[in-house]
Amino acid sequence: MMLNVEKALKQPGENLEFDLRVPAPVEEFQADQIGFSGDVALHGYMTGIGDSVALHGELTAALVSPCARCLEEARFDMKVPFDEIFVRQPDPDHPDAYLFEGSEVDLTDLTVANIAINLPMQFLCREDCKGLCPLCGQNLNLGSCGCDPALERSAFSALKALLDDKDDKEV
């Protein structure tokens, strides 16, 4: 994911447009069960500032992951503005700047970081997803399961039964 910035370095102060499609960083998000449906697009402009390059633009990506409620596929279209600086040497004025050598900057870290910090808290197939029945596992978006709600067991139902038994003995 390299971007040639030689022209920006030779013409400092000029805004030079760029438009890239880069492979999605799938391996970075596999542990989170997040996939991509296509490449990641980066569009914006680069500006040479002395021996540094500033990139301003927008990152777009289409992500897929299991729904947090029903486990069906959930899609999330991401549009993230970015404003990053690439420097040749560490700069205390820009501690978050990316380092680069030569006339190309590597956009991998920029892409991964901007996707990671803008992920939703949970992926949902739709806002009103009903999830799964806690008794039989039926996807409630497809219809009711027919389970008796009175039979619903929770992790605390055994404790509740103990308390109920204790109350009966005290009477």
Side-chain angles (χ1 to χ4, degrees):
M1 292 193 226
M2 304 300 279
L3 173 65
N4 189 322
V5 295
E6 184 175 5
K7 194 172 182 181
L9 292 169
K10 287 182 178 180
Q11 299 173 353
E14 286 195 39
N15 293 331
L16 303 171
E17 192 172 357
F18 67 90
D19 193 12
L20 296 171
R21 289 209 169 273
V22 296
V26 177
E27 63 280 349
E28 303 289 339
F29 297 97
Q30 281 179 337
D32 297 323
Q33 298 181 336
I34 297 171
F36 294 82
S37 59
D39 292 336
V40 175
L42 297 163
H43 176 77
Y45 60 92
M46 59 182 152
T47 307
I49 307 167
D51 216 19
S52 303
V53 177
L55 297 182
H56 311 279
E58 184 176 68
L59 174 149
T60 57
L63 291 82
V64 292
S65 184
C67 176
R69 295 181 188 158
C70 71
L71 304 178
E72 295 294 323
E73 184 178 89
R75 297 181 169 278
F76 179 71
D77 292 325
M78 176 180 282
K79 287 188 178 196
V80 178
F82 62 86
D83 188 14
E84 306 289 354
I85 295 179
F86 288 80
V87 296
R88 294 190 187 274
Q89 309 238 341
D91 183 350
D93 293 334
H94 297 86
D96 295 331
Y98 296 98
L99 295 175
F100 79 102
E101 294 178 0
S103 61
E104 292 186 324
V105 296
D106 187 352
L107 300 175
T108 303
D109 291 340
L110 176 149
T111 301
V112 170
N114 278 283
I115 290 172
I117 63 174
N118 289 285
L119 287 172
M121 292 298 289
Q122 61 181 353
F123 283 79
L124 296 176
C125 61
R126 60 184 201 222
E127 285 297 318
D128 64 342
C129 177
K130 296 177 183 175
L132 302 175
C133 171
L135 296 175
C136 70
Q138 165 73 28
N139 184 340
L140 299 174
N141 295 313
L142 303 176
S144 68
C145 59
C147 289
D148 184 356
L151 296 177
E152 182 175 335
R153 295 188 186 115
S154 73
F156 299 103
S157 61
L159 292 174
K160 183 179 181 316
L162 288 173
L163 287 174
D164 290 345
D165 286 346
K166 182 181 174 188
D167 290 343
D168 290 342
K169 290 179 184 178
E170 289 179 359
V171 176

